[in-house]
Structure formats: C-alpha cells, structure tokens
Amino acid sequence: MKEGVSVKEIFKVFLKIGTFAFGGVYSMLAFFERELVTKKEWLTHEEFAESVVIGQMTPGPPIVNTGIFIGYSLRKLAGALATVIGQVLPSFLLVLVLSFLYIKFREIALVQAVLKGIGAAVVGLLASVIYKMGAKLLKRPKNILFAVLAFLGLAAFKLNPIGLIVAAGLAGLLMFGGE
Amino acid sequence: MEILQFFWTIFYINFFTIGGGYVMLPLLQREVVDHHHWLSTREFADSIAVGQVTPGPLTIMNAFIGSKIFGFWGALGAVVFSYLPSIILVTLASHYYLKFKSSRIVAASFSGIRPAVIGLLGAVALTLFRASVVDLPTGLIAAGAFALLVLAKVEPTLVILGAGVAGALIY
C-alpha cells in the first residue's frame, strides 16, 4: 500500500467509482483496479486481489467491503469511512430523488404501467442472477442439495433465512472442512 | 419507536448478508414485507428495481425503503445502518488479516452458504413472480429480461428502464 495518500484523495476516487460504477460485481472490480492499481498505483495487483478476497469473505456488499479494506489499509478508519461515503453519496442522492417521485406520482396510470413492466423485469433479473450463480456454483450434487434444501426451507416451510444461512455455513463446515 | 425498529432490522440483516449483496433480499423480504408489513410485495419489487438502476451495490435500496416509510431520516438512517456492519467487520478483518486469511473455517462455511443462497433467491423470485407476473405481457417482459441479461449480457440498468418503457406502451 502506498504511504501518505490523503483522505480527501481517497474520497475523490471513490466518489468517481460511486458515480460511474454500474453493472455487476465484476465490471465494478475492473473499474476499481483501473483507478486504484493502474492509474493511482496505491496498491499492487497482489494487494488488490487480497482486498477482493476480504471483501467477499465479510458480510455486506463485497464491493463496498473491498473499498473499506483498501481505505483502512491506506488511512485507517478515516480512509475506510471516506471510501463508504464516496461510494454511497451519488446513489443516495439519486435514490432520494427517485423515492420523492415514486411517492408523488405512483398513483398516476402511466407510472403504474411503467412500474408493472419494471416489476416483471425484476423477476427476470433475479432469475438471471440465480442462473448465473447456479451455473458457477451448482456443479456437484452436494451443492445442488444445499440449494434445494434452502429453497424448500424458505419457500415451503417459511423458515428464517438467517437461520438457513447459518445452518448452511455449519453444514458446509462439516462437509467441506476436511477438503 | 417504529423507525428505531426499522434501523435495527436493517443493521442486523446486513450482518447476515454473507456471500454477495443479493443475500439481503430473502432477509429483507421476511422482515419488511412479511413480518412488519412496511411494504407490499409489489413495492418490494420496485425497491429492487431502484437499487438496480442506481450505481453501486443493491444495498442502496434500503435507503429507498427507508424513505418510502419514514421520509428523509429513514433514508439516511437506512444507509448508515446498512454499512455500519461492513465498517465494523471489515475493519476487524483487516486488523486480524493474517489469521483471517489462513482460516479454512471461513472458506469451508462459505462453500455451504454460497449454494444455499441460490435456493433462498429462488424462493424470493417465486414470491415476486406471483406478485408481478400477472398476465401474458408481464410474463413476456420477465422472460425477455432474463434472455437479454443471460444471453445478450445487456446492462441490468438498461433492461429495467426498457421494461418500464414497455410497460408504458402496453398498459
């Protein structure tokens, strides 16, 4: 990690990331790498890879967590906070505007029609996320069993999803801990 | 105070959002829709759409939910309490990085959690399907969105905006 990076600089870079980072995790990570490793040279490729792992292994959104790890490594807590505020500020302002419009105009027939289309697209979106994750992760029968049990636990038996996640973690530990 | 209950809900949900941002959805749906009835299923789907069309992680949908129920302070508090667990846990993880890195326990638990998350998301998708896919056109939009995202790899933001336009034209 580079020494002497100011908190203000960290904030500025992450504000840029927060403004232009559309798309999935991987396109956003590519954006991170270009800004932080190639352009600014704040960290090496190896350090970047480590922060990505930390981001994925900790609870919360992986991208934000990767940023927090980088910010913390550069400038401790102030650096970590600068990455979060920078990343979140643009979308937060946008959400405030959208929610104002939503509450004000949602009863209008045209807006209802737009929302009906969007609601259907969200179903397709979730299905595509499931499909992509499934194609990557559900290669072994054991993994498929985990997915099916979790689905049944929530859809059929209405179990608490937090309980299901914890149970899956413990079961994973027992089944895959020796590998 | 209902708003404090909301903040607490957001806070602990984010502690358990393990294995990617989408894990939040089943937890949120249970608390915000089923348990507290702060949102209807349709409004929950709208929140997901907002989280998706804005830059950055889906988590920002919590600010939309907060704003919808409690106004500005709900939105601001939702953001703070969404990211507080991340700040606490990642800071701790950076501190104890070497121990954490060698931890096979974490890796093994994740190999159980990741596939389970797929099943949980399936259950959420099923609920949203029942609420949002109500006729042939909405069925076609859902199928079309899936095909564009999986086969043509179109940006999700564009797909959602396009579906909004399609909705306006059809209904």
Side-chain angles (χ1 to χ4, degrees):
Chain A
M1 297 280 173
K2 199 175 165 185
E3 302 277 317
V5 179
S6 78
V7 174
K8 196 176 155 194
E9 269 180 284
I10 298 174
F11 174 75
K12 270 162 69 181
V13 171
F14 277 85
L15 188 66
K16 186 175 169 192
I17 291 174
T19 312
F20 298 106
F22 283 97
V25 172
Y26 294 102
S27 67
M28 279 165 73
L29 286 178
F31 202 92
F32 261 55
E33 185 161 35
R34 198 168 60 232
E35 291 295 322
L36 301 173
V37 182
T38 312
K39 279 197 199 160
K40 297 273 181 188
E41 295 179 348
W42 284 353
L43 57 169
T44 63
H45 284 281
E46 289 74 28
E47 287 167 335
F48 179 70
E50 281 177 0
S51 32
V52 173
V53 172
I54 287 278
Q56 284 172 335
M57 287 259 179
T58 41
I63 296 290
V64 173
N65 291 2
T66 301
I68 293 173
F69 181 73
I70 294 171
Y72 187 84
S73 309
L74 290 168
R75 288 304 297 262
K76 298 291 166 201
L77 194 59
L81 289 175
T83 66
V84 178
I85 297 170
Q87 271 197 87
V88 172
L89 197 60
S91 52
F92 178 67
L93 297 176
L94 192 55
V95 162
L96 284 183
V97 174
L98 288 174
S99 68
F100 172 77
L101 296 173
Y102 179 80
I103 293 164
K104 203 164 163 74
F105 297 114
R106 59 181 300 204
E107 301 306 330
I108 296 172
L110 178 68
V111 177
Q112 290 275 328
V114 169
L115 291 175
K116 205 169 171 183
I118 286 177
V122 168
V123 175
L125 173 83
L126 265 189
S128 79
V129 170
I130 294 165
Y131 175 83
K132 284 178 193 165
M133 287 172 83
K136 213 168 63 181
L137 291 169
L138 300 184
K139 285 176 183 152
R140 297 191 293 181
K142 270 183 192 173
N143 293 350
I144 297 172
L145 181 71
F146 273 75
V148 171
L149 289 178
F151 175 80
L152 290 176
L154 188 57
F157 298 104
K158 311 267 175 239
L159 298 176
N160 190 328
I162 291 179
L164 290 168
I165 289 174
V166 173
L170 290 174
L173 197 56
L174 292 173
M175 288 174 78
F176 304 108
E179 286 180 11
Chain B
M1 284 276 283
E2 217 183 350
I3 193 165
L4 294 180
Q5 203 173 19
F6 173 68
F7 291 160
W8 166 243
T9 305
I10 294 296
F11 180 68
Y12 80 74
I13 280 179
N14 277 275
F15 260 108
F16 289 95
T17 302
I18 308 166
Y22 283 97
V23 185
M24 193 180 63
L25 294 179
L27 315 184
L28 260 183
Q29 189 180 40
R30 181 180 177 95
E31 292 303 323
V32 172
V33 182
D34 299 342
H35 187 194
H36 290 290
H37 304 290
W38 282 321
L39 296 185
S40 71
T41 301
R42 289 290 298 275
E43 288 168 341
F44 183 65
D46 296 339
S47 317
I48 299 175
V50 168
Q52 203 69 58
V53 293
T54 47
L58 187 67
T59 314
I60 200 68
M61 70 182 275
N62 292 339
F64 181 78
I65 296 173
S67 162
K68 165 87 184 29
I69 318 168
F70 302 106
F72 174 77
W73 296 109
L76 188 65
V79 171
V80 172
F81 285 99
S82 291
Y83 290 112
L84 206 51
S86 288
I87 293 168
I88 295 169
L89 293 167
V90 178
T91 306
L92 286 176
S94 345
H95 231 81
Y96 301 101
Y97 181 48
L98 289 173
K99 272 186 214 162
F100 191 81
K101 195 175 165 186
S102 60
S103 162
R104 289 176 63 185
I105 297 175
V106 176
S109 324
F110 265 74
S111 46
I113 291 173
R114 290 224 169 87
V117 163
I118 299 174
L120 296 179
L121 285 178
V124 174
L126 184 66
T127 320
L128 294 181
F129 178 85
R130 287 192 189 129
S132 297
V133 178
V134 288
D135 49 19
L136 185 63
T138 44
L140 290 175
I141 291 174
F146 177 81
L148 284 174
L149 290 163
V150 170
L151 302 175
K153 305 201 190 308
V154 179
E155 279 281 316
T157 308
L158 293 178
V159 171
I160 286 176
L161 296 177
V165 174
L169 294 174
I170 298 168
Y171 294 102

